[in-house]
Amino acid sequence: MSTVDHGSRRAALRTLLTDWGVEALLVTDLLNIRYLTGFTGSNAALLVDARDEPGAESRTLICTDGRYLIQVGEQVPDLEAVIDRSSAGHLIGRCADTDAGPVRLGFESHVVTVDELAAWQELAPSLEMIRAPRLVERLRMVKDEHEVGLLRRACAAADLALAVLIERGGLRQGRTEREVGRELEFLMLEHGADGISFETIVAAGANSAIPHHRPTDATLAAGDFVKLDFGATVEGYHSDMTRTFVLGAAADWQREVYELVATAQAAGRAALAPGTEVAAVDAAARSVIEAAGYGELFLHGLGHGVGLEIHEAPGIGKLGTGTLLAGAAVTVEPGVYFSGRGGVRIEDTLVVREQEPELLTLTTKDLVIV
C-alpha cells in the first residue's frame, strides 16, 4: 500500500500561499492539520511557511499541548514541535517576536471566529492578518492513491456489512428502524470500519420520503420502501452509500420510481469526467427525473465530495461552481420522494478518473425485494 508524503502536501500548499501573497499560513482546522502532518490530536495549530526551501532548515512548526508530547513526536517526526496549550496564540507570538517571521500571515477565515481574530491582532499588531479561506481544502479535493485506498476499505466495510445484514434476515417485517440501524452499524465495525461516517439513516414506509430521516421505533411492514443511507470510516476517511429496498412485494408504482431513480443515477455517474462543470453533472441526472415529470420531488443536490469529511468539496448541485478534477472522490445520489407515501434514493461513492469513474461502493443497484 502507498504511504503518505505529508511533506509533498505542504510543498503544494506553499505554492498556493505564494500565489495568495502571504509568507505563511496559520492552519487551525484539525482535519487540515491531519492532512498536512498526520497529527490526530484534539488541540493543535500549524504554521506553514511559504519561504521554506528543499534542503534548508524548515520554519514550518506544529504546536500542541503537553497531553500530546509523545504523540506529536511519533506522528510528525519531520517537523519541529512546540508545546503550548494556546497553540495558535503561541505560533502567532513567535511570528511577531522574530525579524525573520512573516509580515503577511494568512489564516483560515472560514473556521476562525471574530473573537479569535481580534485576540490575535491584539497579540501581534505588527502582523498583517490576511483571510485565506479553504486553501488546504482545495488540495484535499484531489485524492492521492493512499487516500483512495482508504476510501476503498471504508466502502468495502459498508458493502460487506449490508450483505451480511441481508443474508441474516436483518431487513424483515416487524423490526424497528432503530434496530436495523444499530445492527448495520455494528456490522460495519465487525467488517473493518474504525467507526461510522454519520448516524445511519433507516427510513421505512412513508418515512422513506424524508431525505434525512432519523431512525425511530417505527416498524418495517410488508410493501414498504426501506431506505438505508450509511457509511464507514477507515483511518479518518469516509464512505457514503444509499440503497433502497422493498419488503415483501413491490407495487407497480414502486418499480417505476425505482427504475427512474436508477436511470438518473446512471446518467449522473456517466457524467463524471475531469473538466466537467459540476452543475452539468447535476443536470445530467436531474434532467432524467424532470423529463418524467417529477423534478420538484428531487429535493437536494446530486452529490458532494467525500474524504476526511463526509461532506466536502466539490458540491455537485444546480448552483454548484467549478469543474471536476481527476482524483476527486464524490457521491452521486439522486432521489425522488413522495410525501406521505415513500421515496427512493440510490447513492454511490466514486473517484473521478481520466477514463471512466472508479466505483467504490459495489453493492448491486438492481431493485432488491426482501
Side-chain angles (χ1 to χ4, degrees):
M1 177 180 290
S2 60
T3 58
V4 184
D5 185 350
H6 294 107
S8 292
R9 292 177 178 178
R10 295 192 297 270
L13 177 60
R14 290 188 188 101
T15 299
L16 294 182
L17 298 184
T18 299
D19 294 342
W20 202 263
V22 296
E23 285 85 27
L25 176 69
L26 180 68
V27 184
T28 51
D29 181 279
L30 288 172
L31 287 180
N32 287 340
I33 293 171
R34 179 174 185 167
Y35 177 79
L36 293 168
T37 69
F39 182 69
T40 60
S42 64
N43 176 35
L46 175 69
L47 183 71
V48 179
D49 198 305
R51 300 164 297 176
D52 281 354
E53 297 180 359
E57 184 176 356
S58 176
R59 286 171 288 200
T60 294
L61 303 170
I62 187 169
C63 184
T64 184
D65 65 67
R67 294 172 297 167
Y68 299 110
L69 176 62
I70 295 175
Q71 181 178 331
V72 73
E74 293 175 343
Q75 292 184 329
V76 196
D78 57 338
L79 288 181
E80 179 185 350
V82 291
I83 303 299
D84 193 301
R85 183 73 179 178
S86 179
S87 297
H90 178 90
L91 293 181
I92 290 172
R94 286 184 64 141
C95 291
D97 288 343
T98 173
D99 293 337
V103 176
R104 292 166 56 88
L105 178 64
F107 68 97
E108 296 184 302
S109 55
H110 59 296
V111 297
V112 173
T113 68
V114 173
D115 287 348
E116 285 174 324
L117 178 59
W120 295 347
Q121 291 172 325
E122 183 177 351
L123 175 66
S126 63
L127 292 180
E128 185 178 357
M129 305 292 289
I130 306 296
R131 293 164 58 96
R134 303 190 184 282
L135 295 184
V136 183
E137 285 84 348
R138 191 184 305 179
L139 299 176
R140 283 172 46 192
M141 189 160 46
V142 174
K143 272 60 181 179
D144 60 33
E145 288 308 310
H146 178 81
E147 293 176 289
V148 173
L150 296 177
L151 289 169
R152 285 195 196 101
R153 289 169 55 192
C155 290
D159 278 323
L160 285 168
L162 180 58
V164 172
L165 179 75
I166 300 300
E167 288 170 5
R168 59 165 67 166
L171 281 183
R172 63 179 181 272
Q173 300 172 39
R175 295 199 86 190
T176 69
E177 294 171 339
R178 283 197 178 98
E179 288 171 338
V180 173
R182 288 167 182 162
E183 183 175 5
L184 184 54
E185 291 175 353
F186 173 78
L187 287 170
M188 285 190 281
L189 297 174
E190 285 284 289
H191 288 85
D194 298 330
I196 60 173
S197 293
F198 51 89
E199 182 184 13
T200 296
I201 295 171
V202 181
N207 290 338
S208 63
I210 304 170
H212 278 185
H213 172 73
R214 300 186 69 179
T216 68
D217 288 328
T219 56
L220 282 59
D224 278 354
F225 271 136
V226 180
K227 182 182 68 193
L228 304 178
D229 187 345
F230 60 104
T233 63
V234 171
E235 295 184 31
Y237 283 79
H238 298 68
S239 70
D240 198 357
M241 176 169 66
T242 305
R243 294 295 186 266
T244 305
F245 303 87
V246 176
L247 289 187
D252 288 343
W253 76 272
Q254 290 174 312
R255 293 182 181 276
E256 291 170 3
V257 70
Y258 191 94
E259 182 61 30
L260 173 63
V261 174
T263 301
Q265 207 255 359
R269 297 196 321 268
L272 295 176
T276 304
E277 295 283 343
V278 294
V281 179
D282 180 273
R286 194 173 301 275
S287 62
V288 174
I289 294 172
E290 290 175 339
Y294 297 122
E296 73 281 4
L297 302 182
F298 183 3
L299 304 174
H300 49 75
L302 181 65
H304 53 85
V306 63
L308 284 170
E309 295 177 277
I310 188 60
H311 292 99
E312 57 183 49
I316 303 177
K318 290 190 292 185
L319 302 179
T321 59
T323 60
L324 290 177
L325 299 173
V330 299
T331 67
V332 175
E333 49 181 303
V336 172
Y337 310 94
F338 295 90
S339 181
R341 193 178 188 191
V344 174
R345 181 165 67 251
I346 303 171
E347 175 187 19
D348 284 310
T349 299
L350 308 98
V351 179
V352 179
R353 299 294 195 184
E354 291 292 346
Q355 301 302 319
E356 61 182 26
E358 179 183 353
L359 181 65
L360 301 186
T361 42
L362 304 180
T363 298
T364 181
K365 288 179 282 292
D366 294 337
L367 177 59
V368 174
I369 300 171
V370 292

